[in-house]
Amino acid sequence: MAWFAGAAAIGCLVVGLLHLHRLVTVPAGRAGEASSAAAATGMAAMFSPLGDPVPLAVWIAVFGGCAAWTFLLAARDEDVTHHLLCSGAMLFMLVGHNAHGSGLVMVSVVALVAAGYFAWHGLRCVDRFRIACTGHPRTVAGAQLVSAVAMSGMLVAMI
């Protein structure tokens, strides 16, 4: 299973780097690109078979900051809800994996609902990928598909 974790970590890291590149080179949608880069990098660290080199408090600050930034921009950006859910899901995975006792049921329910959302989002990305002819729209749709599949898989693993 370590080979899968390593491959998933590398895949998520590549997606994170793609979003960082777009953050610098594409002037529109910077909040979304930053949020997506943070989520992909966070998932790469979670998948890493070598362990997460970043302290939990730093990740909580990063995803809390992404959620707050996204929330503040909500009135101006139509894709904000998805990025807000991404940041919330990352925070949930960071703190929810330590649930014990009665809290475990609630964690499982939230993880299942969130996994369903990201699976649905993955299907939307497949449609976007098919519709886009070439170039950046297709690359972005593919990167978002990889992120959606990774997020769904990590959430299902929490159940």
Side-chain angles (χ1 to χ4, degrees):
M1 198 64 165
W3 67 268
F4 174 78
I10 291 169
C12 288
L13 189 58
V14 168
V15 168
L17 292 172
L18 171 72
H19 285 294
L20 284 175
H21 172 72
R22 288 184 48 82
L23 177 66
V24 173
T25 60
V26 178
R30 293 206 167 155
E33 294 297 343
S35 179
S36 295
T41 305
M43 286 187 293
M46 288 177 182
F47 273 125
S48 174
L50 304 175
D52 186 351
V54 180
L56 179 63
V58 172
W59 284 124
I60 290 172
V62 166
F63 296 117
C66 286
W69 184 15
T70 303
F71 183 77
L72 292 173
L73 296 175
R76 298 184 341 191
D77 188 349
E78 64 186 44
D79 202 26
V80 142
T81 303
H82 170 71
H83 293 295
L84 191 57
L85 289 171
C86 284
S87 294
M90 293 301 294
L91 286 168
F92 171 75
M93 286 190 291
L94 286 166
V95 297
H97 72 279
N98 290 326
H100 302 289
S102 62
L104 188 58
V105 172
M106 183 54 99
V107 166
S108 295
V109 169
V110 172
L112 186 60
V113 169
Y117 166 77
F118 286 105
W120 171 78
H121 179 69
L123 292 174
R124 285 180 47 207
C125 293
V126 169
D127 287 343
R128 288 179 187 162
F129 186 83
R130 287 183 29 215
I131 291 169
C133 296
T134 58
H136 288 298
R138 197 164 220 193
T139 304
V140 171
Q144 288 181 353
L145 176 60
V146 170
S147 294
V149 169
M151 188 82 81
S152 292
M154 293 178 92
L155 287 160
V156 167
M158 291 180 70
I159 300 172

